[in-house]
Amino acid sequence: MYKYICCGLLPFPHIIKLIFLFLLYCRFTDVQIRLMKDTLKHPKGFMLGAPEILQLNSNIMQTIRAKKVLDIGVFTGASALAAALALPPDHGGQVHGLDNNEEYTNMAKKYWSEAGVSDKIHLHIGDATDTLQKFIDEGQAGSYDFAFVDADKNDYNRYFEQCLVLVRSGGIISFDNTLWRGSVLDPQNQSDFTVAVREFNLKVKDDKRVNISFLKIGDGLTICFKK
């Protein structure tokens, strides 16, 4: 698990490993830890959201008392599970998870059930931009408190615009992988995903509709605070 978390980006991996084991592991439930371990056995296990990012998202959601959350890019369900566990226990909180792959999300359902949060997570299978537009058309604008985006990088700009509609003023939109393994800093790298993430970074940098914080954790996290 450790080799996926450090990604070779940080200079002192032994220290990072200790931080992970003693500060992060102890804050996850047994179900969360088992889900992460099982996910890393999957051929696409590298797509697991970094645990430190999931924990930060959970802390943010609890701090702003989030009750309605978007999880865009469910994969095996670790981020949706973290969000559901962060919701107020007795106030009918909802996590709306968006993904286009039922193979991945079927694995997620097992762990959501074990954690007792299946009733809080509403899964939407299909193209995420279509699902988000459906929410907008249904009149859900401004009804979400928090959104976590870890999905198709080519659609990051569209997710941003749609989430700006759906998330309330004072709400937060968190984008994963905004370093994209450091490739966004290499002008010679013009691969599709690298260009898409680079363009997204340049877009939000000057967007006056949000305040932003960029954190060099995981594979880069950009947090947008909607004004």
Side-chain angles (χ1 to χ4, degrees):
M1 186 174 200
Y2 160 65
K3 67 179 179 179
Y4 291 93
I5 295 160
C6 293
C7 299
L9 293 174
L10 298 171
F12 304 109
H14 61 290
I15 295 175
I16 302 304
K17 184 175 183 179
L18 287 174
I19 291 172
F20 174 72
L21 290 175
F22 293 105
L23 297 183
L24 297 178
Y25 239 34
C26 64
R27 294 291 181 136
F28 289 120
T29 66
D30 175 69
V31 176
Q32 287 178 288
I33 293 170
R34 286 191 288 108
L35 170 54
M36 286 187 269
K37 287 182 174 179
D38 281 354
T39 298
L40 290 176
K41 298 173 186 176
H42 192 281
K44 295 286 184 70
F46 61 87
M47 289 168 52
L48 173 68
E52 63 268 33
I53 287 178
L54 301 186
Q55 187 171 84
L56 176 61
N57 285 343
S58 294
N59 289 338
I60 292 173
M61 283 183 265
Q62 290 178 327
T63 299
I64 67 172
R65 294 178 173 82
K67 296 180 181 179
K68 194 175 180 184
V69 172
L70 284 167
D71 184 58
I72 303 170
V74 173
F75 189 39
T76 58
S79 55
L81 175 57
L85 292 171
L87 295 175
D90 303 317
H91 295 87
Q94 303 173 20
V95 177
H96 289 267
L98 283 60
D99 207 288
N100 61 5
N101 190 310
E102 288 191 87
E103 175 198 344
Y104 300 156
T105 57
N106 283 338
M107 179 176 172
K109 292 174 185 177
K110 168 190 171 185
Y111 290 96
W112 297 342
S113 177
E114 288 186 26
V117 295
S118 293
D119 60 324
K120 293 185 177 183
I121 302 175
H122 305 273
L123 184 61
H124 306 266
I125 298 295
D127 182 89
T129 58
D130 291 342
T131 302
L132 292 171
Q133 188 58 50
K134 176 174 174 285
F135 292 165
I136 293 169
D137 293 342
E138 290 174 345
Q140 296 190 44
S143 67
Y144 289 84
D145 303 295
F146 184 90
F148 178 52
V149 182
D150 184 10
D152 186 353
K153 311 312 169 196
N154 286 324
D155 282 326
Y156 262 32
N157 281 331
R158 289 190 67 189
Y159 298 146
F160 176 67
E161 293 297 336
Q162 290 174 311
C163 285
L164 273 181
V165 176
L166 290 164
V167 171
R168 64 172 171 84
S169 177
I172 295 170
I173 312 166
S174 176
F175 286 85
D176 199 7
N177 303 120
T178 51
L179 273 176
W180 199 236
R181 306 184 186 97
S183 64
V184 294
L185 303 175
D186 178 8
Q188 302 304 313
N189 191 325
Q190 296 295 314
S191 63
D192 287 350
F193 279 6
T194 299
V195 170
V197 174
R198 187 183 293 132
E199 289 177 350
F200 166 77
N201 290 339
L202 291 173
K203 174 185 175 67
V204 298
K205 178 177 72 72
D206 297 317
D207 196 304
K208 302 305 181 186
R209 296 172 294 176
V210 295
N211 292 318
I212 63 169
S213 288
F214 169 75
L215 304 178
K216 196 178 72 171
I217 60 174
D219 189 26
L221 184 73
T222 298
I223 305 175
C224 302
F225 304 81
K226 183 178 175 182
K227 294 180 180 180

